[in-house]
Amino acid sequence: MNHYDAARYRMVKDQLVARGISDERVLDAMRKVPRHLFVEEALREQAYGDHALPIGEDQTISQPYMVACMTEALGLRGDEKVLEIGTGSGYQTAVLAELASRVVTIERIVGFIPKVWKILEELNYRHVVIHLSDGTYGWKDESPFDAIMVTAGAPDIPSSLTDQLKVGGRLVIPVGNRMDQVLKKVEKASDGLAITTLTPCVFVPLIGALGWKEEGEERMI
Ligand code: SAH
């Protein structure tokens, strides 16, 4: 066991189990995925700390506890098709890839995509596809999905996403203002949506047609 492995096991015990994350599949996935490889080299020693970290382009890799919390809320059992919006570093994508049979992930910043593609290939996650797009529209071609996760803060729950959810499916999404949000879980039943609030959270904004406008966009028009 190298010191990264030791730090990762400690992260799972002290940050996740201690705070009530109990889905063994989620805990196993987070014991396995080498989070330090998803941040730049200078930040690797901090990769297992109890916080988010910068990944460039003003974006962040989410805090481990938030990744665990959102993943656990999806209740994945292994045979699901999952949509993720906001690929970023690709760390959450890899955790989802450990737990589902297909992962479709969408990112709007082109610079992240080659890095994520390379690392997911190195780690042998062949059942993941990455698209450069505005994820607020979802990904109709592969819908409906068993589960959808949005890893950026939205002003509202986009109807495009609930439309692309299977009956019995689950969506997790931070909803609030540009600075802070609450994590919402949406469960789709044949007769409508059940929405519950899980925890306060802080995510970078979801930018897009059914999200926030780009900073300064109004002034540019
Ligand atoms: N899960 C990622 C989180 C990255 S931060 C990780 O842990 O690394 C959120 C990401 O959402 C950023 O990369 C940002 O560019 C992306 N994003 C924001 N709005 C988006 C949109 N409409 N479609 C796709 N990606 C979006």
Side-chain angles (χ1 to χ4, degrees), residues 4 16 84 91 95 102 109 111 123 127 131 152 160 169 185 189:
Y4 288 121
L16 311 186
E84 179 198 24
Y91 173 67
V95 172
R102 178 149 180 89
I109 297 179
L123 296 174
H127 53 299
H131 296 292
S160 47
K185 176 178 173 179

Side-chain angles (χ1 to χ4, degrees), residues 4-179:
Y4 288 121
D5 297 335
R8 191 160 59 249
Y9 273 68
R10 231 177 9 252
M11 168 193 90
V12 169
K13 184 166 158 279
D14 297 347
Q15 300 173 37
L16 311 186
V17 177
R19 292 195 187 118
I21 303 293
S22 62
D23 184 332
E24 282 300 329
R25 296 188 76 242
V26 174
L27 297 172
D28 281 346
M30 291 186 66
R31 270 184 208 111
K32 184 168 168 200
V33 178
R35 180 172 163 96
H36 62 283
L37 299 182
F38 292 81
V39 299
E40 64 180 83
E41 243 171 283
L43 295 178
R44 284 197 178 152
E45 298 304 321
Q46 298 174 53
Y48 296 102
D50 191 12
H51 45 69
L53 281 171
I55 55 170
E57 311 263 8
D58 287 332
Q59 308 300 318
T60 54
I61 177 173
S62 302
Q63 178 197 21
Y65 174 69
M66 196 46 65
V67 170
C69 201
M70 294 178 89
T71 309
E72 186 172 65
L74 295 182
L76 300 172
R77 286 293 156 258
D79 57 354
E80 294 90 350
K81 180 159 66 172
V82 181
L83 174 66
E84 179 198 24
I85 292 147
T87 316
S89 67
Y91 173 67
Q92 174 74 73
T93 317
V95 172
L96 291 171
E98 284 291 330
L99 296 168
S101 59
R102 178 149 180 89
V103 180
V104 177
T105 183
I106 307 178
E107 173 55 53
R108 64 181 284 274
I109 297 179
V110 65
F112 288 136
I113 292 182
K115 284 186 243 174
V116 175
W117 196 80
K118 184 164 176 279
I119 187 169
L120 293 182
E121 185 169 83
E122 277 166 13
L123 296 174
N124 216 16
Y125 295 116
R126 302 292 160 107
H127 53 299
V128 177
V129 60
I130 311 171
H131 296 292
L132 175 66
S133 181
D134 174 0
T136 64
Y137 292 118
W139 197 258
K140 212 154 188 243
D141 285 2
E142 290 214 44
S143 68
F145 295 93
D146 299 285
I148 301 178
M149 180 186 291
V150 181
T151 65
D156 271 308
I157 301 170
S159 56
S160 47
L161 300 185
T162 52
D163 288 349
Q164 290 179 27
L165 203 54
K166 275 185 198 167
V167 169
R170 295 158 303 281
L171 159 71
V172 285
I173 179 168
V175 179
N177 60 43
R178 282 183 90 114
M179 304 307 292

